[in-house]
Amino acid sequence: MKAMASAPAKTILFGEHSVVYDEPAIAGAVNKRAVVKIRPSKSDKSILKSYDLNFEAELDTENKKYVLKKGKPGIIRYILEALSKVHNHSPIEILLSSNIPIGSGLGSSAAVTVATLAALYRYHNIRFNKKSLAHDAHMVEEAVQGIASPLDTLVSTYGGLVYLSRNKKVEHFKVNFNAPFVVGYTNKHGNTGKMVKDVRLLKNRNPKVINNVISSMGQLTNYAKQAILKRDFDKIGELMNINQGFLDVLGVNTFELSRMVYRARECGAIGSKITGAGGGGSIIALCPNNIDQVAEGISKEDNVLKIRFTRKGVSSRVRD
């Protein structure tokens, strides 16, 4: 028997870092996906391969250890953690393919985690629903990172554009918000776990200042929710620019990210900001009228993707 599952990347429009402290956030699934295929191993070893990411590893699923044959280990930790929660440690072969840039702030680890768990549930004929899958995927990310927001795994599971409230209630936007965005990303990968911890340390050293910043980010997210419902792109862009200022205060900006943010605005984006944890990774720019000019401007020094939001979340199936 073979099992397969896929899950989308995500981009955060508002609420990076503040969501960790129970403030609201807005994020959406985008048209880039991770695909995980599982089948019985042809040997007595469990093997993980990815031709897209150019790595191969031999897995010890019972002890959460691996022997790296080639490539970098990064994403393997998430797959091992998922295996430890679901798999019975029989030898399997896992094939991962993805068109989501690793470490770019587009939730590659969440997409891989969600797809891996869904494929494992199918492989072992375990019944699941999206609510339990999103919860389990968040537990995997938290185990690997130490601190993790449920937002990435939630969006990769459900798809669409969502609002996560302070009490963790999920609201799906029903308004058509298929506006064109450009994502610019650097070759310097961000480290989500490290950036979340760095913000917490900054908050602990300067609680009166940073607590106010985090609270203001939550208010801004609620303003953005209303702007999205009205499809007021000018207001959304303005709020994105303000949000970028808050992220700068939190210390998650870099020279490369700042360069892309301002290059996007110079080329006509009405709003641009970091998306994801920062410290590397990506920016997102709203450009309803000049997506090609913005993409061309960013691509002179950095990598670029044109993206659209998608309503399609996780999907999975089995084959004999």
Side-chain angles (χ1 to χ4, degrees):
M1 185 183 70
K2 300 176 182 178
M4 189 198 83
S6 73
K10 70 90 185 67
T11 186
I12 298 180
L13 279 179
F14 298 94
E16 292 94 340
H17 289 286
S18 57
V19 71
V20 176
Y21 302 98
D22 297 324
E23 293 293 342
I26 296 171
V30 300
N31 54 346
K32 304 292 177 184
R33 300 182 74 85
V35 179
V36 173
K37 298 178 181 178
I38 300 176
R39 65 185 181 186
S41 178
K42 296 177 182 179
S43 68
D44 60 351
K45 304 289 185 182
S46 287
I47 304 295
L48 169 63
K49 296 180 181 179
S50 177
Y51 300 110
D52 294 335
L53 305 178
N54 192 32
F55 73 66
E56 180 177 344
E58 184 179 295
L59 306 179
D60 177 354
T61 62
E62 193 164 3
N63 297 303
K64 290 195 285 188
K65 295 180 179 180
Y66 61 88
V67 176
L68 192 65
K69 301 294 185 180
K70 64 177 179 179
K72 297 180 179 179
I75 208 74
I76 299 176
R77 294 176 298 156
Y78 296 90
I79 293 173
L80 274 175
E81 190 64 35
L83 286 164
S84 74
K85 292 184 178 298
V86 180
H87 189 47
N88 62 5
H89 310 304
S90 60
I92 56 174
E93 182 178 301
I94 304 171
L95 181 62
L96 167 65
S97 59
S98 175
N99 59 3
I100 310 168
I102 297 294
S104 65
L106 294 178
S108 57
S109 66
V112 169
T113 298
V114 169
T116 301
L117 285 171
L120 283 167
Y121 291 145
R122 288 290 189 185
Y123 186 80
H124 291 294
N125 196 27
I126 298 172
R127 296 184 65 180
F128 68 97
N129 56 37
K130 288 186 175 179
K131 183 178 180 180
S132 63
L133 176 58
H135 173 270
D136 292 348
H138 175 227
M139 292 298 99
V140 168
E141 286 224 308
E142 201 164 65
V144 174
Q145 297 175 9
I147 307 170
S149 162
L151 190 61
D152 288 14
T153 45
L154 187 150
V155 171
S156 282
T157 302
Y158 284 92
L161 186 66
V162 303
Y163 169 84
L164 182 68
S165 70
R166 287 186 173 91
N167 61 6
K168 298 297 183 282
K169 180 181 178 182
V170 178
E171 298 178 29
H172 292 265
F173 286 91
K174 296 180 180 179
V175 64
N176 180 18
F177 189 64
N178 199 22
F181 286 89
V182 166
V183 168
Y185 62 99
T186 74
N187 292 321
K188 178 182 178 182
H189 296 171
N191 183 320
T192 299
K194 179 181 184 304
M195 298 314 299
V196 170
K197 290 174 184 176
D198 286 351
V199 171
R200 183 178 294 279
L201 291 172
L202 181 69
K203 178 177 177 291
N204 290 342
R205 293 194 302 270
N206 307 277
K208 291 183 179 179
V209 175
I210 302 303
N211 285 342
N212 286 335
V213 171
I214 289 171
S215 175
S216 295
M217 292 173 76
Q219 286 184 308
L220 183 146
T221 299
N222 285 332
Y223 295 148
K225 177 186 177 183
Q226 298 306 314
I228 290 171
L229 290 172
K230 296 174 182 177
R231 299 186 80 251
D232 186 344
F233 294 124
D234 288 336
K235 175 57 71 173
I236 295 166
E238 181 179 61
L239 293 172
M240 288 174 68
N241 294 336
I242 295 171
N243 200 160
Q244 174 62 23
F246 287 139
L247 291 168
D248 215 346
V249 171
L250 294 183
V252 301
N253 203 1
T254 67
F255 171 80
E256 294 85 0
L257 292 172
S258 188
R259 177 179 64 205
M260 290 191 293
V261 163
Y262 285 100
R263 177 66 57 82
R265 294 178 194 174
E266 289 168 1
C267 293
I270 60 176
S272 58
K273 58 180 282 294
I274 293 169
T275 181
S282 301
I283 66 106
I284 185 169
L286 174 59
C287 30
N289 301 313
N290 45 17
I291 187 170
D292 291 333
Q293 295 95 313
V294 174
E296 183 180 353
I298 293 174
S299 68
K300 290 178 180 178
E301 295 184 78
D302 297 289
N303 306 299
V304 68
L305 292 171
K306 298 176 184 178
I307 63 164
R308 296 272 182 170
F309 288 109
T310 177
R311 294 185 181 276
K312 186 179 180 182
V314 66
S315 64
S316 61
R317 67 175 186 265
V318 294
R319 291 187 300 174
D320 292 327

